[in-house]
Every structure is written in C-alpha cells, then in structure tokens.
Amino acid sequence: MVESPVSERTSGVNTDPTIGKDVKYLYRYRSLADPRSSNYVEQILLRNELYFSPPREFNDPFDCSPVPSLKSSGKEFHTFLGELTKRRRPDLSRSARRAQVSTIARDLARNQRSKEAQEALRADMNKIVNETGILCLSAGCDHPLMWSHYADSHRGICLRFQASSTTPFFGRAQRVSYQSERPTLNLVRDTIDEKVQKALLTKADYWSYEAEWRIIDHDAGPGVRQFPPELLDGVILGARISDTDKQKVLGWLEERQHRISVLYARTQATGFGVAISGS
C-alpha cells in the first residue's frame, strides 16, 4: 500500500496558520514527569537521539487509519492486479501472471467487491502502516494545549529544531492535513502520494491546533535515529517546571558539546496565552 516516502512537503486541507509557508523551526514537547520520560529527554540532549514511533502507539485511534476501499471497474482492478503480481512475483512469466490475475478476478472471495478482500486489505494496510516509523513535531511552541497535553501540564520542556526545507534530517518533515471526514484510501485508484497522504498525513480537524509535521521513515521503520546535533538550537522551559527539573535540564545542557539557547515559557498576565522569552 505505502511504497515510498513523499519527497515534497504536502499541504492538503489544513487549518494550520502556517499553511503555504515554509517553516524555520519545528518543535517537540516533552514531559519530565517520570524516569522514563526524563531518560528520553536526556538521550535527546546528550546523544542527539529521537524515537520514531509506530502509529499504533499514537494517542488517536483514528490516526493513520483511513477507510480502505477497492472500489474500481473490472478493468481497473485487473490492471491493478497485474501490476501488483508483477512486483510481488517477478519470477512468473507473462502468461503465468495473466492466468493468476484472471483467477483472482473471477474469485468472488478475492475480487474488488468481496468482503474478504476488504478485510484482507484492512489487515495488510494496518501491517504496512505500523511498520513505518514516524517522528511527530509541531510548527508552534506557544499553544497552551500542547504544553498541557505533551509537556506535563506546562511542567516539561519544548525542544526547538532548525527545520527549513533545505535543512538535513528535519527538512524531510511533511505537513499534516486536517479535515472533518475520515479519508478513504482506494488501493486501486489512488497514486502512491495520495496513499501516503491519506494513510500517514491526515488527521481529524479537531487536532488542528497541533500544527503537526511528520518525518516518515518507511525503510528503517520504528526506532531510534540520530539527528545532526547542531540542529537542536533551543530548549524552552515550561511555565510550571520545578526547580529540580530545571536544574536537571540545565545540567544536561552543560554537558552538551553544542551550546543551545535556553528560553522560558510564561503564562500571560491578562490573557490565556503563553509567551516565550529568553530570560
């Protein structure tokens, strides 16, 4: 289903205010609430490591879960089967492939109108999606809900990475699209880019405040990746970070070879916003 990453930064239907623009920075919110979370932050700061998650670990059950479809004409399905068989069974002769395609197309349990084929498609799609590693980032660092949901109610931190389109590693990030209806992924008719967009880069519009971008790794899958250390150039301390956690983070930064800016998040005195400053 998903065969290769999309090289371009995609947009689609999106309420992100940065839509249509390149970004200078991307951000990663992190908690320090428990030893595991604290260790994760330490690995980022001292080893320049980030974890690419499989979609099954995401907090949204609809994320990376489009509605599968095989809707197509008999001719379209026949062509699709031919191309699929050629990729999966390059050892077969042309006549053998044609015979196999004809057999599947006539089989009521395996053609594009069967429930069995739909279920097989869903299982295959979920398997491929969850073999993909994804790093989730945000285009913003000052949204109160992001601090609440992903940085332990403003007690954690937010990491700032250089991420323009020409930047290595983070320059591969692609914009997530938000829409009101769950996407339908048509295995037969959709292009590779459309499949990637629908399966990995589309979320419900009620998540649009996240202004999310993703780095997708189809080849290596989930796991730890190292990023160029100079691309982490800022750490924002949450408005409610404890003195203990603050000193712990500052201690890690002292050990770091590449110096980075320390910024502070503060709740506004008269509004509901979060302000970021250098002191």
Side-chain angles (χ1 to χ4, degrees), residues 86-104:
K86 186 176 181 179
R87 289 196 301 272
R88 292 185 174 179
R89 294 294 308 275
D91 56 304
L92 293 179
S93 66
R94 180 180 297 181
S95 59
R97 284 200 302 269
R98 287 177 177 173
Q100 185 170 345
V101 167
S102 296
T103 299
I104 295 173

Side-chain angles (χ1 to χ4, degrees), residues 219-235:
D219 298 324
V224 173
R225 308 282 186 279
Q226 281 201 314
F227 61 88
E230 67 276 10
L231 298 183
L232 173 59
D233 74 353
V235 173

Side-chain angles (χ1 to χ4, degrees), residues 181-209:
E181 295 186 3
R182 197 166 168 185
T184 296
L185 189 154
N186 190 304
L187 185 63
V188 179
R189 292 176 171 173
D190 287 344
T191 65
I192 294 297
D193 286 4
E194 288 170 336
K195 291 171 185 174
V196 171
Q197 180 67 42
K198 292 177 180 180
L200 303 174
L201 291 167
T202 301
K203 296 180 69 173
D205 55 5
Y206 47 75
W207 293 104
S208 62
Y209 69 89

Side-chain angles (χ1 to χ4, degrees), residues 30-266:
R30 294 306 306 172
S31 168
L32 296 161
D34 54 69
R36 182 180 179 184
S37 300
S38 183
N39 181 67
Y40 183 92
V41 172
E42 184 179 10
Q43 302 310 304
I44 297 173
L45 296 180
L46 298 185
R47 297 188 180 181
N48 308 301
E49 293 179 347
L50 286 165
Y51 177 63
F52 282 58
S53 304
R56 63 174 173 270
E57 295 181 359
F58 292 169
N59 59 359
D60 177 11
F62 300 107
D63 200 346
C64 298
S65 184
V67 178
S69 172
L70 287 171
K71 185 177 181 181
S72 58
S73 67
K75 183 178 179 180
E76 287 174 322
F77 189 66
H78 200 277
T79 300
F80 164 74
L81 286 179
E83 294 172 350
L84 183 64
T85 303
K86 186 176 181 179
R87 289 196 301 272
R88 292 185 174 179
R89 294 294 308 275
D91 56 304
L92 293 179
S93 66
R94 180 180 297 181
S95 59
R97 284 200 302 269
R98 287 177 177 173
Q100 185 170 345
V101 167
S102 296
T103 299
I104 295 173
R106 290 194 303 268
D107 188 343
L108 297 180
R110 291 194 290 171
N111 67 26
Q112 74 270 37
R113 289 179 289 276
S114 72
K115 289 185 178 180
E116 290 84 354
Q118 293 283 351
E119 288 306 312
L121 166 62
R122 186 185 299 275
D124 189 48
M125 183 176 68
N126 288 338
K127 179 177 183 294
I128 294 173
V129 164
N130 280 294
E131 288 174 349
T132 301
I134 299 177
L135 177 67
C136 301
L137 302 155
S138 174
C141 63
D142 58 357
H143 200 294
L145 287 181
M146 294 294 286
W147 280 100
S148 294
H149 295 164
Y150 300 109
D152 188 29
S153 299
H154 300 252
R155 298 181 185 90
I157 65 171
C158 183
L159 302 159
R160 185 178 75 184
F161 300 96
Q162 296 177 31
S164 69
S165 58
T166 58
T167 303
F169 195 90
F170 295 101
R172 294 159 45 202
Q174 298 168 255
R175 191 191 305 270
V176 170
S177 293
Y178 302 95
Q179 59 188 53
S180 60
E181 295 186 3
R182 197 166 168 185
T184 296
L185 189 154
N186 190 304
L187 185 63
V188 179
R189 292 176 171 173
D190 287 344
T191 65
I192 294 297
D193 286 4
E194 288 170 336
K195 291 171 185 174
V196 171
Q197 180 67 42
K198 292 177 180 180
L200 303 174
L201 291 167
T202 301
K203 296 180 69 173
D205 55 5
Y206 47 75
W207 293 104
S208 62
Y209 69 89
E210 293 186 339
E212 187 174 347
W213 291 63
R214 290 177 170 176
I215 302 177
I216 299 170
D217 193 332
H218 301 272
D219 298 324
V224 173
R225 308 282 186 279
Q226 281 201 314
F227 61 88
E230 67 276 10
L231 298 183
L232 173 59
D233 74 353
V235 173
I236 306 169
L237 304 181
R240 302 163 94 184
I241 192 170
S242 68
D243 287 338
T244 299
D245 283 341
K246 176 181 176 181
Q247 293 308 315
K248 182 162 55 178
V249 171
L250 293 178
W252 288 331
L253 295 181
E254 284 296 319
E255 295 181 48
R256 188 175 167 79
Q257 182 177 0
H258 292 80
R259 297 301 179 187
I260 61 180
S261 300
V262 178
L263 305 169
Y264 296 85
R266 294 184 172 86

